[in-house]
Amino acid sequence: MSPRRGDRGDERVSEALLLHPVRDEARRCVVAVGRRGIVLHPVQPAGRRVRIPWWALEGFDGDRTAPGADGVVRQVLEVVTDAGALSLLLPAPELSLLLARIGRRAPRWRRARRRVAAATARLGALVTAIVVIPALVVLVNALGGVGLAVAGRTAPLLRSGARAVARWPVAASATGVSAAVVAVALAVTGAQTVPTLPVAHAASAHGFDASGMAKLALLGSREGAPHLAAATAPPAPAPPSVANLPPLRPHEVFGFAPYWTLHQSTGFDVQGLTTVAYFSLDVNADGTLLQSGPGWDGYQSQALANLVTRAHAAGDRVVLTVTDFNQQSLDALTSSPSAAGTLAAAVVAAVEAKNLDGVNLDFEGVGSADRAGLTALVGTVSAAVHAANPHYQVTMDTYASSAGDPTGFYDIAALAPEVDGFFVMAYDLNLQGAPSAASPLTSAMFSDEEALAQYTAVVPAAKVVLGLPFYGYDWPTTNGTMSAMATGTPTPVAASQVLGGGHPLYWDPVTQTAWTSYQSGSQWHEQFVEDPMSIYLATQLAATYGVDGVGAWALGMDGNDPVMLQALDGVQPPADAVPGPLGTPGAPAGGTSAAGATGTAGTAGATPSASSTTSTTTSPSSTTTAPSTTTTAPSTTTTAPTTTTTTAPTTTTTTTTAPPLTTGTWQGQVVTLTRTAGPGPTGTRTQLGTLGSFQSTDPSLSCLASAPGLPVWRYASDPSVDVVTASAPPDCTTARFTFPAAGP
């Protein structure tokens, strides 16, 4: 197909199936992504191309699968406009490719969605529909009654009621002029009108993606879900030592096993888990379970049966995850008088058929309209499951911000009595901000700590499981430093891809996560990911709040690295197995080992710098060198400048009878720090910023002078002092200091 005028520069992907909004039909088409929007070229039967301009595009929903007329199961991509949505069927690899190409056009998308640009475009479209098209129709009819289908060719494809999940930052929907354009165009061309409904937006106060399942297309197998042989033998039931336990263990380690990683499930370390959740079976709007597609194939597979048997032998529970990510379906499911009973019976039957031990409910929607109905639905299902077996486990997946959101999709306080526990999806936080971690432990923005503080203030801590990601994000950036700006939208990447990518890893002390940077051609990229140390630190944070446990989304995304699962289980990784915070690959490992021995500082806390300066320490034996030039900013010289070593302050010779002097700069003032020992303050804490210019006459602390900044905290239990903490990693030692609080 040769490029048409205006199409030059469009990036085409493989053929897709365009679903008819009313009839059970599909049309083959080629999808292109261009400067002006997304273009569909119908090829069978041939037809006029359809362009969806950027200004009319709301977002995408890639959260489910469906079979085509040929019986092949493909991903369903809802392309949502502010007048409705159309549905495409694509193989998972092609969906990933399409979303990546749209991501490269995100800046143009954002510009088109600005108020002035969008209003101008809509006005032009409205004038065309009301004035130009009718005039052309009259002219053509006068010349011979030849039918004309111009702007109306788009409208019949639109299907209403789909959920818009904005993958990248876009402005709020405008006045809906495009819906009027569609209506006028339909009337002019005589096409059938498809009523349009308001399109829901997946948004929260913190702007993170609501749907975990949307990652399926990007993080699942690039060759689609692997074929799994049907089960020929049932899984072994749980032994009495597992079956008779309370629904939740005192220390839960929860791991999701998605259907697209079942083929590698023999490598899952089930010994380190307490609950394995098979992901997943979809729920229909009437409460029945979808008995087709890759999720159903995985449920019926021998691979799942073997995993259940192996997990039971290791003393684990195995539960079934049931999912619904479609807002229209959720609206029906939560309002139907019969759907709850239907779903309850279907869940109990599905659990018993595979000798499972309970259910995990993953219903992800937006808005507050379904809050009461969802609570009632969950209560009905939970009661039925516990009636079948009081030892069965019932958990629910919820957004990280839900406990602090009184108008969100979940009513956490009302749901708490209905479930045994919440799996708090503490990932995809702050994705509309600058390049940063998907699950920051601490942050000036939303973080794991804030999520735990909110949940434990609303429900018993024993009902909270902190969910952590075994994946991260790749951001295109202006350079390879921490101060780099994003030049496009982030792409999800599995942890195994980042940690095994061969790039030097660095440590972000603000979010307590690992990151790296690299160049692809002339384009810089930064990747943020959870590594064993950040996972371990998150487990310690969870223990601080006294919650029931932690969990991972999802098994297999870590490359079945045993150190990752050990860290999830609360085992501090050995220094030589953690390249991120303890140094770059090939450099001497430092920090604190599992046995607690402090080693050489190495490159702890080092980051690529946009300037030519290097880190300094007060000890020649622990001099910090500049990072490899493969990850430094383009402006950095190819040869690292000679590392300088500062001379220790003369006060280091102070006699032992004088107390060590430790100071730092806080809010522009030099403050004297008092080192504290023993248990620290407890309760809710807030990070106020970072302390700079650390100096100490204590030789054991002088290495902290090279730290980029130490976090300053204020605890609700004692607001009269501010607390400064150093930890290994990323710092060269562990210490805690206090100084008088200067203000609120």
Side-chain angles (χ1 to χ4, degrees):
M1 184 181 299
S2 61
R4 300 171 183 259
R5 184 178 180 181
D7 290 344
R8 292 178 176 84
D10 286 359
E11 300 177 274
R12 286 174 169 76
V13 297
S14 299
E15 290 185 358
L17 295 177
L18 176 62
L19 302 182
H20 192 280
V22 179
R23 298 188 298 271
D24 186 18
E25 298 177 5
R27 172 180 291 190
R28 288 174 53 205
C29 65
V30 173
V31 186
V33 181
R35 295 181 301 106
R36 295 165 56 192
I38 299 175
V39 182
L40 305 179
H41 300 267
V43 296
Q44 188 182 11
R48 300 291 298 272
R49 65 194 177 103
V50 176
R51 182 181 297 279
I52 305 171
W54 292 121
W55 56 263
L57 185 63
E58 292 282 352
F60 301 91
D61 182 357
D63 291 341
R64 60 190 179 91
T65 59
D70 54 3
V72 177
V73 176
R74 299 176 176 87
Q75 291 296 128
V76 178
L77 177 67
E78 302 270 9
V79 181
V80 186
T81 74
D82 52 9
L86 56 85
S87 299
L88 298 171
L89 286 181
L90 304 94
E94 301 305 330
L95 178 58
S96 300
L97 181 61
L98 175 60
L99 292 179
R101 286 175 171 170
I102 292 172
R104 289 197 289 269
R105 300 285 184 173
R108 180 175 294 274
W109 184 0
R110 285 193 293 269
R111 289 194 298 271
R113 296 290 297 173
R114 291 172 183 164
R115 294 180 182 272
V116 175
T120 302
R122 282 172 168 78
L123 180 60
L126 185 60
V127 170
T128 300
I130 295 177
V131 179
V132 177
I133 293 176
L136 290 175
V137 171
V138 171
L139 176 61
V140 171
N141 287 339
L143 293 176
V146 179
L148 181 66
V150 188
R153 62 182 177 267
T154 303
L157 299 172
L158 297 180
R159 180 167 62 82
S160 64
R163 176 168 67 98
V165 178
R167 295 282 161 245
W168 300 279
V170 295
S173 179
T175 60
V177 173
S178 49
V181 173
V182 170
V184 172
L186 286 169
V188 170
T189 59
Q192 178 184 2
T193 301
V194 179
T196 58
L197 300 176
V199 177
H201 295 266
S204 75
H206 305 285
F208 57 85
D209 180 7
S211 175
M213 184 60 178
K215 300 171 190 64
L216 185 147
L218 297 175
L219 290 181
S221 169
R222 289 196 172 274
E223 299 184 3
H227 174 72
L228 298 171
T232 58
S241 59
V242 174
N244 295 331
L245 289 172
L248 280 185
R249 305 281 181 89
H251 175 62
E252 277 288 336
V253 182
F254 204 100
F256 283 93
Y259 64 78
W260 62 87
T261 63
L262 276 182
H263 66 292
Q264 53 179 298
S265 60
T266 55
F268 294 169
D269 182 11
V270 294
Q271 296 288 343
L273 300 171
T274 59
T275 298
V276 178
Y278 170 65
F279 189 94
S280 67
L281 294 185
D282 290 332
V283 179
N284 296 314
D286 61 356
T288 58
L289 297 177
L290 180 64
Q291 298 186 5
S292 63
W296 178 257
D297 293 342
Y299 171 78
Q300 297 282 35
S301 69
Q302 187 62 49
L304 178 61
N306 294 342
L307 176 61
V308 172
T309 297
R310 198 160 62 88
H312 280 163
D316 303 340
R317 276 193 174 88
V318 185
V319 299
L320 171 67
T321 298
V322 295
T323 54
D324 193 344
F325 305 136
N326 184 284
Q327 188 63 49
Q328 192 173 15
S329 173
L330 285 167
D331 293 343
L333 187 65
T334 56
S335 61
S336 168
S338 60
T342 301
L343 178 60
V347 165
V348 170
V351 167
E352 293 179 342
K354 296 297 179 180
N355 287 326
L356 303 180
D357 311 294
V359 65
N360 168 256
L361 305 173
D362 192 1
F363 299 148
E364 301 183 28
V366 295
S368 60
D370 295 336
R371 280 169 68 97
L374 180 65
T375 301
L377 173 77
V378 171
T380 299
V381 174
S382 180
V385 172
H386 285 141
N389 188 330
H391 298 285
Y392 279 166
Q393 181 191 97
V394 179
T395 57
M396 187 171 191
D397 306 333
T398 53
Y399 307 147
S401 64
S402 293
D405 185 1
T407 61
F409 184 68
Y410 305 103
D411 188 340
I412 299 299
L415 285 166
E418 309 296 345
V419 298
D420 298 315
F422 295 99
F423 183 92
V424 180
M425 299 182 289
Y427 33 79
D428 283 12
L429 312 183
N430 314 313
L431 283 189
Q432 291 187 0
S436 63
S439 182
L441 189 75
T442 56
S443 172
M445 302 175 73
F446 201 71
S447 65
D448 295 347
E449 183 174 40
E450 186 173 355
L452 286 175
Q454 291 181 356
Y455 269 85
T456 53
V458 175
V459 302
K463 288 200 171 191
V464 177
V465 176
L466 179 66
L468 302 169
F470 275 6
Y471 68 93
Y473 279 90
D474 185 301
W475 298 75
T477 55
T478 52
N479 57 53
T481 72
M482 277 294 285
S483 60
M485 300 295 292
T487 60
T489 55
T491 301
V493 287
S496 59
Q497 180 179 338
V498 179
L499 300 178
H503 305 298
L505 290 175
Y506 307 104
W507 186 255
D508 178 11
V510 175
T511 63
Q512 300 289 299
T513 52
W515 69 284
T516 186
S517 60
Y518 67 95
Q519 273 186 296
S520 178
S522 60
Q523 177 63 60
W524 277 95
H525 290 261
E526 289 184 1
Q527 295 176 327
F528 291 81
V529 73
E530 303 301 312
D531 72 346
M533 184 53 70
S534 65
I535 293 291
Y536 168 75
L537 293 176
T539 66
Q540 303 312 296
L541 177 68
T544 299
Y545 277 88
V547 299
D548 187 65
V550 294
W553 172 260
L555 301 175
M557 292 182 185
D558 61 338
N560 291 335
D561 181 0
V563 179
M564 285 284 279
L565 201 58
Q566 290 168 10
L568 190 70
D569 203 25
V571 178
Q572 182 170 348
D576 58 359
V578 188
L582 303 180
T584 56
T592 304
S593 69
T598 301
T600 305
T603 55
T607 62
S609 174
S611 66
S612 59
T613 60
T614 57
S615 303
T616 60
T617 67
T618 56
S619 172
S621 64
S622 59
T623 299
T624 304
T625 58
S628 166
T629 55
T630 58
T631 56
T632 53
S635 59
T636 305
T637 56
T638 55
T639 303
T642 303
T643 302
T644 59
T645 304
T646 61
T647 304
T650 56
T651 52
T652 56
T653 58
T654 302
T655 62
T656 56
T657 57
L661 176 64
T662 303
T663 62
T665 301
W666 172 245
Q667 296 180 344
Q669 302 293 323
V670 176
V671 295
T672 300
L673 305 178
T674 301
R675 188 170 185 178
T676 62
T682 59
T684 303
R685 64 176 182 171
T686 303
Q687 184 173 358
L688 305 180
T690 56
L691 179 103
S693 303
F694 182 94
Q695 295 291 331
S696 180
T697 59
D698 184 344
S700 68
L701 299 176
S702 60
C703 64
L704 291 173
S706 63
L710 299 175
V712 178
W713 304 90
R714 182 167 299 174
Y715 288 79
S717 59
D718 188 2
S720 64
V721 296
D722 291 336
V723 181
V724 181
T725 59
S727 58
D731 306 309
C732 59
T733 189
T734 298
R736 183 170 62 251
F737 312 89
T738 61
F739 64 93

mmCIF file of all heavy atoms in Angstrom, residues 332-350:
data_model
loop_
_atom_site.group_PDB
_atom_site.id
_atom_site.type_symbol
_atom_site.label_atom_id
_atom_site.label_comp_id
_atom_site.label_asym_id
_atom_site.label_seq_id
_atom_site.Cartn_x
_atom_site.Cartn_y
_atom_site.Cartn_z
ATOM 1 N N ALA A 332 -22.178 -3.187 35.398
ATOM 2 C CA ALA A 332 -23.257 -4.172 35.357
ATOM 3 C C ALA A 332 -23.107 -5.200 36.481
ATOM 4 O O ALA A 332 -24.077 -5.583 37.143
ATOM 5 C CB ALA A 332 -23.286 -4.866 34.002
ATOM 6 N N LEU A 333 -21.866 -5.639 36.697
ATOM 7 C CA LEU A 333 -21.600 -6.675 37.690
ATOM 8 C C LEU A 333 -21.982 -6.216 39.094
ATOM 9 O O LEU A 333 -22.542 -6.984 39.887
ATOM 10 C CB LEU A 333 -20.113 -7.053 37.646
ATOM 11 C CG LEU A 333 -19.635 -8.233 38.482
ATOM 12 C CD1 LEU A 333 -20.256 -9.529 37.980
ATOM 13 C CD2 LEU A 333 -18.113 -8.324 38.429
ATOM 14 N N THR A 334 -21.700 -4.956 39.415
ATOM 15 C CA THR A 334 -21.945 -4.456 40.763
ATOM 16 C C THR A 334 -23.375 -3.965 40.983
ATOM 17 O O THR A 334 -23.749 -3.674 42.116
ATOM 18 C CB THR A 334 -20.970 -3.315 41.094
ATOM 19 O OG1 THR A 334 -21.095 -2.276 40.104
ATOM 20 C CG2 THR A 334 -19.540 -3.816 41.115
ATOM 21 N N SER A 335 -24.141 -3.857 39.917
ATOM 22 C CA SER A 335 -25.523 -3.375 40.053
ATOM 23 C C SER A 335 -26.562 -4.461 39.825
ATOM 24 O O SER A 335 -27.732 -4.288 40.156
ATOM 25 C CB SER A 335 -25.776 -2.214 39.080
ATOM 26 O OG SER A 335 -25.591 -2.629 37.736
ATOM 27 N N SER A 336 -26.141 -5.592 39.259
ATOM 28 C CA SER A 336 -27.079 -6.669 38.967
ATOM 29 C C SER A 336 -27.523 -7.363 40.251
ATOM 30 O O SER A 336 -26.696 -7.676 41.121
ATOM 31 C CB SER A 336 -26.433 -7.690 38.033
ATOM 32 O OG SER A 336 -27.212 -8.868 37.950
ATOM 33 N N PRO A 337 -28.811 -7.660 40.393
ATOM 34 C CA PRO A 337 -29.278 -8.375 41.598
ATOM 35 C C PRO A 337 -28.881 -9.850 41.617
ATOM 36 O O PRO A 337 -28.947 -10.489 42.677
ATOM 37 C CB PRO A 337 -30.795 -8.216 41.533
ATOM 38 C CG PRO A 337 -31.104 -8.010 40.082
ATOM 39 C CD PRO A 337 -29.936 -7.252 39.520
ATOM 40 N N SER A 338 -28.493 -10.400 40.473
ATOM 41 C CA SER A 338 -28.184 -11.835 40.413
ATOM 42 C C SER A 338 -26.716 -12.141 40.165
ATOM 43 O O SER A 338 -26.273 -13.274 40.384
ATOM 44 C CB SER A 338 -29.020 -12.500 39.313
ATOM 45 O OG SER A 338 -28.726 -11.917 38.043
ATOM 46 N N ALA A 339 -25.928 -11.153 39.677
ATOM 47 C CA ALA A 339 -24.545 -11.427 39.282
ATOM 48 C C ALA A 339 -23.690 -11.879 40.453
ATOM 49 O O ALA A 339 -22.819 -12.754 40.301
ATOM 50 C CB ALA A 339 -23.935 -10.198 38.619
ATOM 51 N N ALA A 340 -23.895 -11.303 41.636
ATOM 52 C CA ALA A 340 -23.068 -11.664 42.793
ATOM 53 C C ALA A 340 -23.231 -13.141 43.146
ATOM 54 O O ALA A 340 -22.249 -13.852 43.392
ATOM 55 C CB ALA A 340 -23.422 -10.782 43.988
ATOM 56 N N GLY A 341 -24.478 -13.626 43.167
ATOM 57 C CA GLY A 341 -24.707 -15.034 43.467
ATOM 58 C C GLY A 341 -24.125 -15.941 42.403
ATOM 59 O O GLY A 341 -23.568 -17.006 42.708
ATOM 60 N N THR A 342 -24.257 -15.517 41.147
ATOM 61 C CA THR A 342 -23.691 -16.303 40.046
ATOM 62 C C THR A 342 -22.185 -16.397 40.168
ATOM 63 O O THR A 342 -21.588 -17.474 40.013
ATOM 64 C CB THR A 342 -24.071 -15.663 38.697
ATOM 65 O OG1 THR A 342 -25.495 -15.615 38.571
ATOM 66 C CG2 THR A 342 -23.480 -16.443 37.537
ATOM 67 N N LEU A 343 -21.548 -15.255 40.450
ATOM 68 C CA LEU A 343 -20.087 -15.245 40.576
ATOM 69 C C LEU A 343 -19.644 -16.081 41.775
ATOM 70 O O LEU A 343 -18.660 -16.825 41.684
ATOM 71 C CB LEU A 343 -19.584 -13.811 40.712
ATOM 72 C CG LEU A 343 -18.079 -13.644 40.911
ATOM 73 C CD1 LEU A 343 -17.308 -14.237 39.740
ATOM 74 C CD2 LEU A 343 -17.710 -12.171 41.097
ATOM 75 N N ALA A 344 -20.333 -15.969 42.881
ATOM 76 C CA ALA A 344 -19.966 -16.728 44.077
ATOM 77 C C ALA A 344 -19.976 -18.228 43.799
ATOM 78 O O ALA A 344 -19.034 -18.953 44.158
ATOM 79 C CB ALA A 344 -20.916 -16.388 45.221
ATOM 80 N N ALA A 345 -21.031 -18.698 43.141
ATOM 81 C CA ALA A 345 -21.122 -20.126 42.823
ATOM 82 C C ALA A 345 -20.031 -20.543 41.838
ATOM 83 O O ALA A 345 -19.431 -21.625 41.973
ATOM 84 C CB ALA A 345 -22.504 -20.442 42.259
ATOM 85 N N ALA A 346 -19.748 -19.682 40.848
ATOM 86 C CA ALA A 346 -18.735 -20.003 39.843
ATOM 87 C C ALA A 346 -17.347 -20.056 40.466
ATOM 88 O O ALA A 346 -16.522 -20.922 40.121
ATOM 89 C CB ALA A 346 -18.771 -18.966 38.717
ATOM 90 N N VAL A 347 -17.050 -19.131 41.394
ATOM 91 C CA VAL A 347 -15.744 -19.110 42.038
ATOM 92 C C VAL A 347 -15.547 -20.357 42.889
ATOM 93 O O VAL A 347 -14.493 -21.011 42.835
ATOM 94 C CB VAL A 347 -15.589 -17.828 42.882
ATOM 95 C CG1 VAL A 347 -14.409 -17.957 43.844
ATOM 96 C CG2 VAL A 347 -15.404 -16.615 41.982
ATOM 97 N N VAL A 348 -16.533 -20.717 43.687
ATOM 98 C CA VAL A 348 -16.413 -21.910 44.533
ATOM 99 C C VAL A 348 -16.191 -23.148 43.668
ATOM 100 O O VAL A 348 -15.331 -23.995 43.976
ATOM 101 C CB VAL A 348 -17.662 -22.072 45.422
ATOM 102 C CG1 VAL A 348 -17.649 -23.426 46.124
ATOM 103 C CG2 VAL A 348 -17.734 -20.941 46.446
ATOM 104 N N ALA A 349 -16.925 -23.258 42.572
ATOM 105 C CA ALA A 349 -16.768 -24.422 41.691
ATOM 106 C C ALA A 349 -15.379 -24.456 41.063
ATOM 107 O O ALA A 349 -14.753 -25.524 40.968
ATOM 108 C CB ALA A 349 -17.847 -24.392 40.606
ATOM 109 N N ALA A 350 -14.876 -23.286 40.623
ATOM 110 C CA ALA A 350 -13.556 -23.229 39.980
ATOM 111 C C ALA A 350 -12.448 -23.546 40.979
ATOM 112 O O ALA A 350 -11.449 -24.191 40.634
ATOM 113 C CB ALA A 350 -13.341 -21.857 39.357
#
